[in-house]
Amino acid sequence: MAGRVIDGKAIAADVRKQVASDVAALKSAHGLTPGLAVVLVGEDPASQVYVRNKGKQTIECGMQSFEHRLPEETSEADILALVQQLNNDPAVNGILVQLPLPKHVDSNKILNTILPDKDVDGFHPANVGRLSIGERALVPCTPVGSVILAKTVQENLSGLNAVVIGRSNIVGKPVAQLLLKENCTVTIAHSRTRNIGKVVKEADLVIAAVGVPEMVRGNWIKPGAIVIDVGINRVPGENGKSKLVGDCNYEECARVAGAITPVPGGVGPMTIACLLKNTVEATKMQNNITS
Ligand code: GUN
């Protein structure tokens, strides 16, 4: 029997609904309107689509959206100056600098200049540290979205064997931290892992975040496991067109899994929804609101 398909689009819409209600409550109880600033340097087409969607959804949730589009040749010093300006702007509660940045810019230098309490991407070392020691933190959006999706299948993840495939700072490592917080037994598999299929086969919950198209095969999956596919890979499709596939071979894995996210329509829509959620959280942190 084929596994249940986890509808990321519908679940992201639920998250946005909750964000809109939290924004309304912040306005009425505290007179606060959360503001999200996005900085886009250059003309990368995928980034432009992403930034446009972010702006639209930010406004739909009742928040303020600030967009800063800079030419490709903008100097590192000028980007740093803009980040400092946004750090000092009380109307801006969240700052996101869209990646990738042009090659002449040191991305880490820029990201580490964002005030940790406005770092809605959760990439600043202060937030990475806070997450790892269990303090209140801004947590990277895709990992948060992945765990929300898994919890729609099984609310209590405690005691599950979770295998994360991939060890990136953006997904692999933070999602492993979140799963540890959920009391999972966590293994991080990566390109040097021996007999990776056998390691994954032990998992009740698989998070695939390697960026290798359809790497995870059906015979790696334990029957009934929850499979969250973070990969978004563009590959050649039919009639000379390209198509999107995940890190899992969907047809094969869906036959064995208990539940699985599709690509597109799984983790993808959750990322912006969780960014909006983080902007609300950042606003609360900056104003010492605990709930
Ligand atoms: N580019 C693609 N996804 C992301 C993201 O989640 N955050 C940032 N800053 N840049 C991105």
Side-chain angles (χ1 to χ4, degrees):
M1 198 187 79
R4 162 178 158 191
V5 180
I6 303 170
D7 185 347
K9 247 174 122 171
I11 298 162
D14 289 345
V15 171
R16 288 197 302 274
K17 216 182 272 175
Q18 181 61 49
V19 168
S21 140
D22 290 348
V23 169
L26 275 174
K27 275 185 198 172
S28 63
H30 303 277
L32 296 167
T33 301
L36 172 63
V38 174
V39 178
L40 173 60
V41 186
E43 310 285 325
D44 178 64
S47 291
Q48 287 187 336
V49 173
Y50 207 66
V51 166
R52 200 175 323 123
N53 287 334
K54 272 179 204 153
K56 189 168 157 272
Q57 293 182 26
T58 304
I59 289 162
E60 279 168 6
C61 285
M63 299 194 269
Q64 274 194 287
S65 171
F66 306 98
E67 270 181 33
H68 295 268
R69 292 168 183 263
L70 304 173
E72 177 86 18
E73 60 277 10
T74 308
S75 69
E76 187 178 282
D78 283 352
I79 303 171
L80 284 171
L82 173 59
V83 170
Q84 290 291 9
Q85 179 197 318
L86 298 171
N87 279 344
N88 294 328
D89 184 343
V92 172
N93 301 102
I95 303 171
L96 181 140
V97 177
Q98 184 69 21
L99 301 175
L101 284 166
K103 288 196 176 54
H104 66 275
V105 178
D106 179 345
S107 300
N108 279 340
K109 200 167 164 187
I110 305 289
L111 297 179
N112 294 353
T113 301
I114 298 172
L115 269 183
D117 282 0
K118 293 192 177 186
D119 166 38
V120 282
D121 258 329
F123 294 163
H124 192 287
N127 280 315
V128 176
R130 287 175 191 168
L131 171 65
S132 81
I133 61 172
E135 277 185 14
R136 192 174 186 188
L138 292 168
V139 182
C141 306
T142 303
V144 170
S146 301
V147 173
I148 292 174
L149 292 181
K151 291 183 80 163
T152 63
V153 180
Q154 186 168 331
E155 170 62 29
N156 185 358
L157 304 178
S158 179
L160 295 190
N161 269 339
V163 174
V164 177
I165 314 173
R167 53 177 158 178
S168 71
N169 291 334
I170 291 177
V171 184
K173 287 178 196 161
V175 85
Q177 291 287 354
L178 286 176
L179 293 171
L180 206 49
K181 230 168 112 183
E182 295 289 333
N183 299 313
C184 292
T185 302
V186 183
T187 302
I188 304 181
H190 49 77
S191 55
R192 307 288 174 89
T193 299
R194 291 193 196 131
N195 212 342
I196 193 165
K198 197 160 161 244
V199 172
V200 174
K201 191 97 186 183
E202 295 294 314
D204 306 301
L205 168 59
V206 179
I207 311 272
V210 261
V212 178
E214 302 182 311
M215 181 179 116
V216 177
R217 307 302 303 262
N219 62 3
W220 296 18
I221 303 297
K222 179 175 170 176
I226 303 170
V227 178
I228 308 293
D229 190 348
V230 180
I232 301 179
N233 309 290
R234 197 164 279 286
V235 298
E238 282 165 24
N239 306 325
K241 288 187 184 157
S242 67
K243 61 169 184 172
L244 291 180
V245 297
D247 291 347
C248 299
N249 181 311
Y250 185 80
E251 297 299 322
E252 291 180 8
C253 294
R255 261 183 247 135
V256 189
I260 185 166
T261 58
V263 177
V267 175
M270 293 298 287
T271 301
I272 296 180
C274 292
L275 173 72
L276 305 176
K277 191 166 139 61
N278 271 356
T279 306
V280 169
E281 173 67 2
T283 307
K284 288 182 179 174
M285 282 167 71
Q286 288 153 32
N287 290 280
N288 294 318
I289 300 168
T290 49
S291 64

